[in-house]
Amino acid sequence: AHRFRPSLWKYTMTGCLFALCASVALAGPPPLLAARAPSVVMGGMEQKLTPLASGNRVSLQLSGPTASLEPLAQSCVGMARSAGLTGIVYSLERLARLEIVAEGGREHLDALVDHAAAAADVECKVEWQAPVGGYDEAFPLVTLRPQMSAVLGVHGDKRTLDYYTRHLQVEAVFNRGLKLASERKDPTLLSLRLSGDSARLKSFVRWAQRGPPLERAERVVVTWS
């Protein structure tokens, strides 16, 4: 029978470890694995990166003296209507600023941008965005106060509106701190009453027009107050 000798076992293991380290050093570091791109989940405010409507959308943020802003806004809206564009005008009187949001063909939007940028005494900031739809050719004027209310009529099939309903608390209350009341008397109509900070309310309206991930309403009617 062989007697177990600890010293011999220790030297044997040390030799094995030395040989293993040497082989790793000669082989070099293992090749780097290609990193997998993270999956994109489009929800809430991140959805602005994904276009869902046809055409183009531009936001013209105009600032300057009221005497210059008002005629410029009127001429821009008249030009947009003549070109068949759709959109809305937001007025921030306390900041002496107007925002004109327009959607439609790129050629007509480019002409609108050039017209606004050429105005004297008015600073024009241009931001191209993904279109959301839901506007008409009237270009209504909405005067935004610090606190606002809005009533939204969200039209769609039952499955789409069920999906909207599951996202409402997160998008309106948790993400934006708005007060929300919802009603569903008709399977194809979701009525929403919201109030709170006007900038956050405006953001929610855009979210409703775009819809939660994978779904979009047929039509969203907005009444500001």
Side-chain angles (χ1 to χ4, degrees):
H2 296 285
R3 179 177 297 175
F4 173 72
R5 285 190 270 177
S7 59
L8 180 60
W9 178 82
K10 180 176 71 173
Y11 293 136
T12 302
M13 291 301 297
T14 302
C16 291
L17 289 173
F18 178 79
L20 178 61
C21 291
S23 64
V24 170
L26 291 174
L32 294 175
L33 296 177
R36 177 179 295 179
S39 59
V40 178
V41 179
M42 298 175 293
M45 300 180 185
E46 295 177 356
Q47 281 188 300
K48 64 183 180 180
L49 303 176
T50 305
L52 291 175
S54 60
N56 300 274
R57 171 187 170 109
V58 69
S59 166
L60 302 177
Q61 299 173 29
L62 311 174
S63 56
T66 303
S68 300
L69 278 180
E70 291 183 353
L72 176 60
Q74 292 174 1
S75 64
C76 284
V77 169
M79 185 177 181
R81 288 172 177 167
S82 299
L85 302 176
T86 61
I88 192 170
V89 180
Y90 294 106
S91 172
L92 293 87
E93 292 180 346
R94 59 192 174 89
L95 300 177
R97 194 174 76 191
L98 285 172
E99 181 184 10
I100 302 175
V101 177
E103 295 188 358
R106 182 61 186 248
E107 180 181 354
H108 295 304
L109 292 177
D110 283 336
L112 183 65
V113 169
D114 292 341
H115 176 71
D121 300 327
V122 174
E123 181 182 352
C124 178
K125 180 181 178 182
V126 180
E127 182 180 346
W128 291 94
Q129 303 170 342
V132 299
Y135 300 117
D136 56 35
E137 297 180 4
F139 277 85
L141 172 64
V142 177
T143 300
L144 293 178
R145 301 182 301 276
Q147 296 291 313
M148 294 283 290
S149 299
V151 176
L152 277 67
V154 185
H155 300 259
D157 59 38
K158 182 180 182 301
R159 192 186 78 134
T160 297
L161 297 188
D162 286 346
Y163 205 65
Y164 264 79
T165 302
R166 290 196 292 271
H167 287 76
L168 286 178
Q169 287 293 328
V170 171
E171 295 297 341
V173 180
F174 182 76
N175 283 353
R176 295 172 175 86
L178 301 172
K179 293 181 179 179
L180 167 70
S182 61
E183 189 176 29
R184 186 90 173 271
K185 291 183 178 180
D186 188 317
T188 61
L189 174 61
L190 175 62
S191 299
L192 306 175
R193 293 182 178 273
L194 301 110
S195 60
D197 178 83
S198 58
R200 297 184 179 187
L201 185 53
K202 182 168 168 276
S203 168
F204 178 84
V205 168
R206 189 176 178 197
W207 172 85
Q209 291 170 331
R210 295 183 64 81
L214 307 179
E215 293 290 347
R216 189 180 184 203
E218 296 174 2
R219 185 164 54 101
V220 178
V221 179
V222 184
T223 303
W224 291 85
S225 60

